[in-house]
Amino acid sequence: QIQLVQSGPELKKPGESLKISCKASGYTFTDYAMQWVKQAPGKGLQYMGWINTQTGKPTYADDFKERFVFSLETSASTAYLQINNLKNEDTATYFCARNRYFDYWGQGVMVTVSS
Amino acid sequence: DVVMTQTPVSLSVSLGGQVSISCRSSQSLVHNNGNTYLSWYLQKPGQSPQLLIYKVSNRFSGISDRFSGSGSGTDFTLKISRVEPDDLGVYYCGQGTQYPYTFGAGTKLELK
């Protein structure tokens, strides 16, 4: 069955960096784009952008063009989200999801940024 | 960016009842290829969102026929009939037609 399994929760200080993983299984990884979505505590879904799993080319929504990096390890069917220079407002759950339909979602990674 | 406006913000329903959620987009969601990439999602408490409906009216794998989607252009509706306890949570519409993709603010479905 198709699954997206994400890495575990993170507790970081402002200014630090982190890298979240999203491991896909049950389908051919390079056949579908990978999307990233942010959900701040108690808030709705905010689209961050996507990465082309065939070329590795990332595309970022405007709010995520600085400090955010999408990458791949195709041999491991894994997508990554790196956030640099963490800020308090990065505290949120981050989801990966497959293709433009967001048909399969990871379980989410809760990131807490606090001094 | 395409703004997705969902109404109502919250909805109370009795078990077995029927509800409708509206989603309006600020621009037409008809893609150049003729498809309309409007989807509906349900996020249950403490869980990831799950896809219910894609391309306006297509139920995703395993989704009950109690869920139906309709609409065109900029106006879309999700109907849920014979509401069950497992249907409770926050419903989002989302568009995958125009980049950046966007979501509505959500509609919380609660028990009356």
Side-chain angles (χ1 to χ4, degrees):
Chain A
Q1 74 282 23
I2 295 169
Q3 282 189 303
L4 300 177
V5 178
Q6 297 185 244
S7 46
E10 301 268 7
L11 175 59
K12 293 288 187 181
K13 292 181 167 46
E16 294 183 335
S17 296
L18 64 76
K19 195 170 186 177
I20 293 166
S21 66
C22 169
K23 183 170 177 59
S25 61
Y27 71 97
T28 302
F29 182 68
T30 51
D31 281 352
Y32 298 88
M34 192 68 77
Q35 317 283 349
W36 289 95
V37 177
K38 175 183 178 182
Q39 186 170 39
K43 301 295 185 184
L45 305 173
Q46 184 179 12
Y47 182 67
M48 300 176 68
W50 69 289
I51 186 163
N52 184 319
T53 53
Q54 292 187 335
T55 65
K57 180 187 174 189
T59 304
Y60 303 96
D62 283 348
D63 287 347
F64 301 96
K65 288 184 174 176
E66 310 280 335
R67 305 189 297 112
F68 296 83
V69 180
F70 305 150
S71 62
L72 302 174
E73 186 178 353
T74 305
S75 62
S77 298
T78 300
Y80 298 95
L81 165 63
Q82 181 168 327
I83 310 176
N84 299 317
N85 186 22
L86 282 158
K87 302 179 185 303
N88 290 333
E89 54 264 36
D90 295 327
T91 293
T93 298
Y94 293 86
F95 296 99
C96 57
R98 197 181 76 155
N99 77 23
R100 75 195 320 164
Y101 302 115
F102 300 80
D103 55 359
Y104 291 92
W105 294 66
Q107 82 276 21
V109 176
M110 188 176 298
V111 172
T112 304
V113 183
S114 174
S115 54
Chain B
D1 297 2
V2 178
V3 176
M4 306 295 286
T5 303
Q6 273 184 251
T7 53
V9 172
S10 64
L11 210 43
S12 292
V13 63
S14 300
L15 293 178
Q18 178 174 298
V19 295
S20 292
I21 300 170
S22 172
C23 178
R24 285 189 171 175
S25 57
S26 60
Q27 301 171 38
S28 172
L29 297 186
V30 180
H31 193 273
N32 289 341
N33 65 13
N35 289 316
T36 300
Y37 295 103
L38 184 283
S39 300
W40 291 95
Y41 308 89
L42 166 59
Q43 187 173 30
K44 299 176 187 177
Q47 295 187 21
S48 311
Q50 60 179 106
L51 176 64
L52 301 173
I53 301 284
Y54 65 96
K55 286 200 291 184
V56 182
S57 59
N58 296 273
R59 274 186 298 277
F60 188 53
S61 174
I63 299 302
S64 167
D65 61 5
R66 297 183 299 101
F67 293 88
S68 63
S70 62
S72 63
T74 60
D75 276 318
F76 305 93
T77 302
L78 175 71
K79 287 186 182 173
I80 313 166
S81 60
R82 306 185 304 280
V83 169
E84 298 178 358
D86 200 42
D87 299 339
L88 305 181
V90 180
Y91 288 80
Y92 295 95
C93 61
Q95 66 85 16
T97 292
Q98 189 174 130
Y99 194 82
Y101 302 154
T102 47
F103 297 96
T107 295
K108 188 171 186 178
L109 184 63
E110 300 173 302
L111 270 183
K112 192 175 289 184

